[in-house]
Every structure is written in C-alpha cells, then in structure tokens.
C-alpha cells in the first residue's frame, strides 16, 4: 500500500507473522487516515484493541470464531459507511470551494462597489460644481437681463417689472408711490460738442450720482431711454419725493461737468418731473408715468435745471424741498 492511495477498507488479523495486527493498522492509518479498519482477533486482548482504537481509529473488531454472514454484513456496513463519509467529505470540499468563490465574489463585489462609490462621489462633485457654475451663470444672465448695457443701473425692462410690483404692493398697503423722471439738459448739444464717448461718460457719472443719492434699498434708479433716467420711490409721499429730487440736483451740481453748449449753465444740469399717488386697484401704473412725464415737460418749460411736482388735482413748481419720507 502506497501513501496517498484510496483504500476503503482494510481487514486485518491480530495474529500475523513478524508483526501484530494493531501495528499494521497504525501504519495504514498514517498512510490513509480515511480507510476503515476492521481487526479480527481470536484472543481477548483488550490492550491491543484499545491501541487500535486509539492510534488507528479502528472501525470495529470481530472476535473469533465469527460467522461468515456476520463478517460479510460488517464489511458491507463498513463500505457503506466509508462511501457515506467520502460523500460528506466531497460535499464539504465542494462547500469550501463554493465558499472560497463566494468570498472572492464578495471581495470583488466590494471592490466594484467601492470603485463605483468613488466614481459616484466624483460625479456628484462634478455635478455640484457644474450646478454651482450654472447657478452663477443664471444669476449673471439675470443681472444682464435687468442691467443697462452702458450705465451701471437697471434697464427699462427692470423698471417696468419693478414699477408693476411696487404699484401692487403700495396698493395693498395703501401707501404712497412716487416717481421721478429725469432728463439731461441739452444733451444732444453736449454730444455734438464733446463727442458720443464723452456723452457716455457723462451719463455714467450722472447715473452713479443719482444711485448714490438714494438712501433706501427699495429706491431704484433705471435708464428710461436715451438720456432719460427714472427713479422709483416706494412708500414715499410728495414731500419725500421732493427731498430726493433736491438732493439729486445738488449732487449733480457738485460734479461740475463742463457744458459750454448749454443755454442755462456752464455745467451739465438735469430737469426732473415728479409724481406721487397712493395706487388704486384697477388703475394702471402708466398713469403715474404719464403724470411724471407731464411734470418733466413743465420743468423744461420753466427753464430747465429744476424739478416740477404734479399732483392729480394741482401742479406745484419747486426748486427746494424737504426730506424723503
């Protein structure tokens, strides 16, 4: 019997020439531990049987004299037991292989999940950055949509939206809404004298000055068209609007922008038309614009470089005024 060979059953007598059966079984057990061993003995040698059980994993010992049928049944039973044990061993090996494969799959799956998670995190970070850029771009577009392309103030579109918004709000709150329409005096002559680039710089300086003159966040200056600017003053009564116009006129005078083609001054001046009312439901905001426009027309007829306030019942021309309410 060579080491590593598969032997199902060994039947050994205890008494043999030169060697005893329990020693033979021990040697066989070292070479093939799974082999079942049956020892035949005619002597009641319990020590030998004990050694065989302890060192050889003796399956059974059969004392002499034995019946051939009993020995046959014992051998058949042992073979069945061996085959069953081998089947269990084979199943265990298959389970071990399956477990190893499962563990490998689990490790691979964990690796794939980790890689995909890292990719998802990277994608999410890229999406977040893209969304941030998109938000910034949208905000920039929104600003571009409401800002004048030349002057650092809101454009006509923003004016129309804001006037409608504040008209509705003041109507709900039953508060005054005032409007100032401003026009640069003899601006065409200024452009003819100094050129259009100088005219642009002049308008920019005036727009910044008016913007600086406004004290409240809700007050808004917009470009109305050409050299005309419009100021929306929510929650501002007539006295407050007159005060704002006075402040603007004083600040423009401090600029001292030369204008030698002007018929009323050596420096750039503006004329302003004022209108104030508590908005009424069902009345269009354009009514306030029309009143301010008529006030501006009257200011020009009165010699320019002044402002004119018009109510719906009377007209009042002023060169000085009180505080913004």
């Amino acid at each position: 019997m060579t080491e590593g060979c598969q032997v199902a059953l060994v039947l050994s007598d205890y008494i043999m020439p030169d060697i005893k059966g329990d020693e033979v079984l021990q040697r066989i057990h070292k070479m093939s531990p799974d082999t079942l061993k049956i020892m035949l003995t005619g002597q009641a040698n319990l020590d030998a049987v004990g050694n065989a059980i302890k060192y050889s994993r003796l399956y059974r010992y059969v004392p002499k004299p034995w019946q051939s049928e009993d020995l046959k049944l014992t051998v058949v039973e042992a073979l069945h037991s061996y085959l069953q044990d081998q089947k269990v061993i084979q199943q265990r090996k298959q389970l071990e292989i399956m477990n190893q494969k499962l563990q490998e799959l689990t490790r691979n799956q964990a690796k794939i999940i980790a890689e995909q998670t890292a990719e998802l995190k990277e994608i999410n970070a890229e999406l977040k950055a893209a969304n941030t850029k998109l938000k910034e771009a949208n905000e920039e577009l929104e600003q571009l949509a409401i800002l004048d392309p030349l002057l650092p103030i809101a454009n006509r579109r923003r004016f129309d939206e804001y006037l409608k918004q504040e008209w509705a709000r003041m109507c709900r709150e039953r508060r005054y809404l005032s409007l100032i329409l401003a026009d640069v005096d003899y601006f065409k002559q200024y452009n003819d004298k100094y050129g259009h680039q100088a005219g642009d710089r002049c308008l920019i300086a005036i727009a910044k000055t008016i913007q600086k003159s406004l004290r409240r966040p809700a007050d808004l200056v917009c470009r109305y068209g050409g050299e005309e600017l419009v100021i929306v003053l929510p929650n501002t009564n007539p006295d407050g609007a007159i005060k704002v116009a006075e402040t603007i006129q004083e600040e423009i005078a401090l600029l001292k922008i030369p204008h030698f083609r002007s018929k009323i001054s050596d420096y750039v001046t503006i004329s302003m038309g004022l209108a104030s009312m508590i908005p009424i439901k069902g009345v269009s905001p354009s009514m306030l614009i029309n009143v301010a426009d008529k006030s501006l027309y009257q200011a020009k007829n009165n010699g320019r470089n002044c402002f004119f306030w018009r109510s719906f019942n009377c007209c009042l021309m002023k060169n000085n005024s009180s505080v913004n309410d």
Side-chain angles (χ1 to χ4, degrees):
M1 182 176 180
T2 59
E3 187 175 357
C5 68
Q6 295 293 324
V7 178
L9 177 65
V10 171
L11 201 63
S12 173
D13 198 349
Y14 176 68
I15 302 297
M16 292 186 294
D18 301 326
I19 191 170
K20 293 182 179 180
D22 58 337
E23 295 177 3
V24 172
L25 295 180
Q26 288 182 40
R27 294 181 183 182
I28 292 173
H29 181 72
K30 290 181 180 179
M31 292 185 289
S32 179
D34 295 333
T35 299
L36 297 182
K37 299 95 178 174
I38 296 176
M39 188 169 67
L40 305 176
T41 176
Q43 301 178 1
N45 192 333
L46 296 180
D47 290 338
V49 173
N51 288 336
I53 293 173
K54 181 177 181 180
Y55 298 110
S56 307
R57 290 181 60 192
L58 184 68
Y59 175 74
R60 187 167 298 174
Y61 80 96
V62 180
K64 296 178 182 179
W66 60 78
Q67 297 294 326
S68 61
E69 189 65 25
D70 291 341
L71 182 59
K72 180 181 177 181
L73 289 174
T74 299
V75 170
V76 170
E77 180 186 350
L79 289 173
H80 284 168
S81 177
Y82 174 82
L83 293 174
Q84 188 65 28
D85 289 345
Q86 290 301 308
K87 186 176 180 180
V88 171
I89 291 172
Q90 188 64 29
Q91 288 176 343
R92 286 177 179 174
K93 288 181 179 179
Q94 291 177 352
L95 285 175
E96 288 179 0
I97 294 172
M98 291 175 64
N99 284 333
Q100 290 175 357
K101 291 182 178 179
L102 182 60
Q103 291 175 2
E104 183 66 22
L105 287 173
T106 302
R107 286 192 295 269
N108 291 338
Q109 190 68 22
K111 183 179 179 181
I112 293 172
I113 292 173
E115 292 174 351
Q116 291 179 344
T117 301
E119 290 178 2
L120 285 175
K121 287 182 178 179
E122 185 177 350
I123 292 172
N124 286 335
E126 292 176 355
L127 285 175
K128 185 176 180 181
N131 285 333
T132 300
K133 290 182 179 179
L134 181 61
K135 183 179 178 182
E136 292 173 352
N138 286 333
E139 290 175 352
E140 185 177 350
L141 285 175
E142 288 177 4
Q143 287 296 314
L144 290 174
I146 63 174
L147 290 179
D148 186 80
L150 172 64
L151 307 182
I153 56 176
N155 58 16
R156 175 64 180 269
R157 174 185 173 184
R158 176 56 178 159
F159 164 70
D160 292 337
E161 294 174 350
Y162 193 67
L163 179 62
K164 183 178 179 181
Q165 168 191 313
E166 292 305 307
W167 179 273
R169 186 168 72 93
M170 294 299 102
C171 183
R172 291 193 304 269
E173 298 178 6
R174 301 298 301 156
R175 295 178 178 273
Y176 269 101
L177 178 63
S178 292
L179 202 68
I180 299 177
L181 198 57
D183 185 53
V184 181
D185 296 325
Y186 300 108
F187 188 69
K188 181 180 181 303
Q189 289 81 354
Y190 185 92
N191 276 337
D192 292 342
K193 170 66 175 176
Y194 300 101
H196 289 283
Q197 289 186 347
D200 290 345
R201 290 193 295 270
C202 175
L203 286 178
I204 292 171
I206 291 173
K208 287 182 177 179
T209 300
I210 294 177
Q211 182 74 65
K212 185 177 65 174
S213 301
L214 303 180
R215 299 287 185 258
R216 301 176 309 175
D219 298 340
L220 180 69
V221 57
C222 309
R223 190 176 190 180
Y224 191 67
E227 68 273 17
E228 286 187 329
L229 306 178
V230 63
I231 303 106
V232 184
L233 302 171
N235 195 20
T236 303
N237 63 19
D239 288 338
I242 291 170
K243 178 58 181 176
V244 172
E246 180 186 45
T247 301
I248 290 172
Q249 198 169 43
E250 292 172 352
E251 293 295 327
I252 295 298
L254 292 175
L255 291 177
K256 292 187 178 299
I257 301 174
H259 188 355
F260 297 125
R261 289 283 183 90
S262 173
K263 298 178 181 180
I264 56 172
S265 174
D266 292 334
Y267 302 100
V268 169
T269 59
I270 64 172
S271 299
M272 291 176 282
L274 285 61
S276 302
M277 71 172 293
I278 297 175
I280 303 171
K281 188 175 181 180
V283 177
S284 172
S286 61
M287 178 179 289
L288 191 64
I289 299 174
N290 291 336
V291 175
D293 188 59
K294 291 178 181 178
S295 296
L296 176 59
Y297 181 78
Q298 189 62 51
K300 291 182 179 180
N301 284 342
N302 290 341
R304 303 181 190 252
N305 191 24
C306 63
F307 57 85
F308 188 90
W309 174 80
R310 177 187 293 271
S311 70
F312 294 96
N313 298 318
C314 64
C315 300
L316 174 65
M317 194 296 187
K318 284 185 174 283
N319 284 316
N320 297 299
S321 53
S322 56
V323 293
N324 181 11
D325 189 13

